Amino acid sequence: MKKCQNKWVRAAIPALLIHCSIGTVYCWSLVSETIVEHFGGSVSKGTIEWAFSLAIFFLGMSAAFLGPFVERDIHRSSLVAAICFAAGMAGTGFSIQHRSVVGIFLFYGVIMGIGLGTGYLSPVKTLMLWFSDQKGLATGLAIAGFGLAKVIASPLIEFLQNQFGIVAMFYMLAAFYFLLMFTGHLLLAKPEGWSEPHEKSSESVLSILKNKTFIGIWLMFYINITCGLALISQEKSIVKAIGLVAFAGVVSSITAVFNAGGRLGFSAWADHMKDRNTVYKMIFVLSIIFTGLTILTDGIGNGYAFLVIPLLFVINACYGGGFSNVPALLSDHFGMKSISRIHGLCLSAWAFAGLTGNQIATYIVNHTGSFVTDAHGNSINPVGYQNVLYFTFILYIIALFISFFLIPKNKKESI
């Protein structure tokens, strides 16, 4: 019996099912404090936060090292993703139930992190094969699902927590997301007639890592994520610092929409550009302008919401756009033959940014300026948040320099 050869059924829908599932990792802030409360004060929130950092680290590193596995068999890799992600969710619930911090690190950080990495990578090449003339739109559509997951899952997570408790919630989510990802696994397939080259790949990991264009793209990607995480991790506190305490939740939801919109919008726009790297120049220029204006006017210290809120929207959109354009930019320079391997190695930038972005921002806030109590009783540090902007402003300028001078225009690379 002939299989369905519709690109939406075989690529777009399964990619969304997988990415909308694994993207719930960004809902960690909704459960972290509840986990600490469940431990009865025997563990600090700072310690528990390492579970999220480990999940992002293993996402990037598993994608980096499992790229060849995904390249060979996306059907098997998508199944591994579903099993690891669901097992990580269920194991996290079990570990919370038995008050095991090590268990949370293992299941949420390591096992679920591996599911995140393989799940993130598995649909990407398939999408670019089906949508060969709209690679940016295709990958942007799926990766937008990763960004939208927070908007979709947040009310579900809060409802389940309130109704059934944190432990039962993780068990239910494990079953629900396994069903979604397994359905995506069954549907996902490359176009009929496409077969991977059987000859042994000539690209070694070392040869890829030594390529100057790859290094430039990796550095751009790393800086964009680091800056994005630095500001996103302080987002709630920044909103409180400008006096919008009552609207913190609303702002968070809207920034998540901008994050997803940036993933889809910037990548679809890049499909119409002669040089896809142009979109990164735009991303960094926008980030520099809005960050610079907020610094010059001391927008956070003066409570200028009309500057700070647009800054958060723009940074989230640019953060998302940086993610969605990477696969297509890499394929423009290195072709499709080993794109999963090369994209996976590039995602290692996400791993390291996950360990540095929010931690550096937290360090700056805790060690510069001083905390004060606002009219609502919140402890805020406007000077510290402003210093985070200085940090990201400098990095965005470096990234723009890399985009202009280290990434060649429309040049096919041989590794």
Side-chain angles (χ1 to χ4, degrees):
M1 184 176 178
K2 190 175 181 180
K3 292 183 179 180
C4 172
Q5 288 296 299
N6 183 287
K7 62 184 179 181
W8 295 99
V9 174
R10 286 304 188 183
I13 291 174
L16 283 171
L17 288 172
I18 293 171
H19 276 236
C20 281
S21 298
I22 62 177
T24 54
V25 68
Y26 278 140
C27 295
W28 171 252
S29 62
L30 298 177
V31 300
S32 57
E33 290 185 3
T34 310
I35 294 173
V36 173
E37 291 171 5
H38 189 85
F39 275 77
S42 62
V43 62
S44 69
K45 190 172 184 295
T47 299
I48 288 295
E49 286 297 329
W50 276 101
F52 177 77
S53 293
L54 285 170
I56 298 301
F57 179 77
F58 276 91
L59 184 163
M61 297 312 291
S62 62
F65 286 100
L66 294 177
F69 167 62
V70 174
E71 197 80 49
R72 288 193 301 271
D73 194 339
I74 54 106
H75 197 63
R76 185 175 295 177
S77 67
S78 60
L79 178 60
V80 169
I83 293 171
C84 287
F85 187 77
M89 276 278 187
T92 301
F94 180 84
S95 300
I96 296 169
Q97 184 178 359
H98 292 84
R99 291 178 169 80
S100 171
V101 176
V102 174
I104 295 174
F105 290 166
L106 174 64
F107 285 104
Y108 196 95
V110 180
I111 296 175
M112 203 172 93
I114 293 172
L116 289 167
T118 50
Y120 190 92
L121 202 57
S122 290
V124 172
K125 180 171 181 175
T126 304
L127 280 162
M128 289 195 288
L129 290 173
W130 280 103
F131 293 81
S132 57
D133 296 327
Q134 295 174 300
K135 293 176 183 177
L137 172 64
T139 56
L141 182 65
I143 295 173
F146 196 95
L148 272 177
K150 182 180 177 182
V151 180
I152 298 169
S154 292
L156 174 63
I157 287 174
E158 290 185 338
F159 172 78
L160 293 177
Q161 272 193 91
N162 294 333
Q163 293 295 316
F164 304 101
I166 188 74
V167 173
M169 181 209 73
F170 271 104
Y171 290 143
M172 292 183 204
L173 289 180
F176 176 66
Y177 285 121
F178 178 78
L179 180 63
L180 290 187
M181 293 181 73
F182 188 72
T183 302
H185 150 74
L186 293 176
L187 292 174
L188 189 66
K190 292 177 181 176
E192 190 176 52
W194 170 267
S195 59
E196 296 294 340
H198 293 293
E199 67 269 17
K200 189 175 180 180
S201 176
S202 59
E203 302 97 343
S204 67
V205 171
L206 185 60
S207 65
I208 296 170
L209 295 178
K210 288 168 61 179
N211 182 274
K212 291 181 180 179
T213 301
F214 177 84
I215 292 171
I217 294 173
W218 192 98
L219 288 172
M220 283 198 315
F221 190 41
Y222 169 77
I223 290 173
N224 196 49
I225 301 170
T226 297
C227 292
L229 288 176
L231 289 173
I232 291 169
S233 66
Q234 302 298 320
E235 185 175 278
K236 188 174 181 180
S237 299
I238 290 173
V239 171
K240 288 180 178 178
I242 58 174
L244 298 180
V245 179
F247 299 97
V250 175
V251 171
S252 179
S253 296
I254 297 174
T255 55
V257 173
F258 270 87
N259 190 318
R263 293 168 190 255
L264 181 59
F266 277 116
S267 54
W269 195 5
D271 282 334
H272 303 286
M273 296 178 179
K274 292 181 179 179
D275 179 14
R276 198 177 296 272
N277 182 41
T278 303
V279 82
Y280 281 96
K281 295 173 184 175
M282 295 171 60
I283 283 172
F284 297 133
V285 167
L286 284 170
S287 300
I288 290 167
I289 290 173
F290 278 82
T291 305
L293 283 173
T294 309
I295 290 172
L296 286 173
T297 58
D298 189 19
I300 298 175
N302 290 320
Y304 292 162
F306 70 92
L307 282 176
V308 177
I309 297 302
L311 168 69
L312 294 176
F313 292 164
V314 168
I315 294 301
N316 271 272
C318 292
Y319 176 79
F323 271 101
S324 60
N325 276 284
V326 163
L329 180 63
L330 290 168
S331 72
D332 286 350
H333 284 280
F334 302 105
M336 289 294 294
K337 180 182 175 183
S338 300
I339 190 62
S340 295
R341 174 199 292 262
I342 297 170
H343 184 209
L345 286 171
C346 197
L347 288 178
S348 64
W350 194 358
F352 290 104
L355 292 178
T356 56
N358 55 334
Q359 282 84 356
I360 291 174
T362 300
Y363 181 87
I364 292 172
V365 171
N366 289 338
H367 292 83
T368 64
S370 58
F371 284 88
V372 295
T373 302
D374 66 10
H376 302 278
N378 297 299
S379 181
I380 58 174
N381 182 2
V383 174
Y385 308 139
Q386 192 81 351
N387 289 337
V388 172
L389 294 185
Y390 281 109
F391 167 71
T392 58
F393 183 75
I394 293 169
L395 284 186
Y396 280 131
I397 291 175
I398 294 172
L400 183 62
F401 177 90
I402 292 170
S403 181
F404 268 101
F405 299 106
L406 296 186
I407 312 297
K409 184 177 181 180
N410 293 331
K411 180 184 176 183
K412 283 288 184 182
E413 300 278 338
S414 57
I415 296 177

